[in-house]
Amino acid sequence: SVDIEAIDADSSSTIAIDGNVGVTREILVSPGDNIIEIVTMELNGFGEGKYTVTVSVPAPKLIELDIPADGYYGTRDVLLFNVAYEGEVDVIGKPFIPITIGEGLDTVTVNGVYIGKPTGEKHKLNFAYTVEAGLVDTDSIEIGTAIELPLGAEITASGIAVSLALTVVDLEGIMIDSK
């Protein structure tokens, strides 16, 4: 929210902020452009002036990436990644985090797919990958630099696209042996 204060140079006038009479008003805002209307009127009800103020609020930033605990993961073990934003986000479709598993020329990229939000935490997203048989990576997995959006998927805050760039994390202790 923002606090708006309007001061009229003429004490014989009234001020309305977003339709509510008064010189100060707390206005709820959301990501994107928020247009606030300020109207001044003479005491007899005739209009003096109409003004608009645009408050631009950026989409919430990605602030945290929690990764699975260090250790070896085998067939059917789940790698869980949690992404946190500064504020509430909305998800459509199945965004995913690319995960590279393997060594040398024997690598494969799999997807940690969006599985939902923790209960009561509308700013956090959970992504999971279930380890498939036949994979080995003893020198640590790697993840992509950003959440990817397949056709039709999106992550937004009040309709504004949020950053998908992932923070850099050390994955050195996460290894796969499912052979």
Side-chain angles (χ1 to χ4, degrees):
S1 69
V2 294
D3 291 322
I4 301 291
E5 181 175 10
I7 300 172
D8 196 346
D10 182 357
S11 63
S12 66
S13 298
T14 61
I15 296 175
I17 302 172
D18 265 3
N20 297 298
V21 176
V23 294
T24 54
R25 177 75 55 213
E26 181 178 352
I27 305 289
L28 293 177
V29 294
S30 58
D33 288 338
N34 298 266
I35 298 173
I36 301 166
E37 184 178 84
I38 301 170
V39 176
T40 59
M41 302 197 47
E42 295 177 357
L43 290 178
N44 61 13
F46 293 110
E48 289 183 333
K50 181 178 178 180
Y51 310 92
T52 57
V53 175
T54 302
V55 177
S56 296
V57 178
K61 293 179 185 172
L62 191 148
I63 56 171
E64 185 177 13
L65 171 61
D66 290 330
I67 60 173
D70 287 353
Y72 274 94
Y73 292 83
T75 305
R76 291 189 296 263
D77 286 340
V78 176
L79 300 177
L80 186 62
F81 298 85
N82 300 298
V83 176
Y85 283 89
E86 291 175 315
E88 185 176 329
V89 293
D90 301 306
V91 179
I92 294 175
K94 292 287 183 184
F96 61 88
I97 297 173
I99 305 167
T100 303
I101 299 173
E103 299 170 353
L105 298 176
D106 190 21
T107 62
V108 62
T109 299
V110 297
N111 297 325
V113 178
Y114 172 71
I115 58 169
K117 298 177 184 179
T119 303
E121 298 188 85
K122 296 179 180 181
H123 69 291
K124 290 187 176 181
L125 310 178
N126 291 334
F127 295 82
Y129 168 69
T130 302
V131 178
E132 301 166 64
L135 301 175
V136 174
D137 194 328
T138 59
D139 65 356
S140 80
I141 65 170
E142 295 178 13
I143 62 171
T145 57
I147 297 169
E148 294 194 17
L149 301 174
L151 187 62
E154 54 185 54
I155 303 174
T156 61
S158 296
I160 307 296
V162 299
S163 172
L164 303 174
L166 295 170
T167 56
V168 176
V169 292
D170 180 10
L171 302 167
E172 196 166 310
I174 304 171
M175 296 166 280
I176 306 292
D177 190 354
S178 63
K179 280 198 173 186

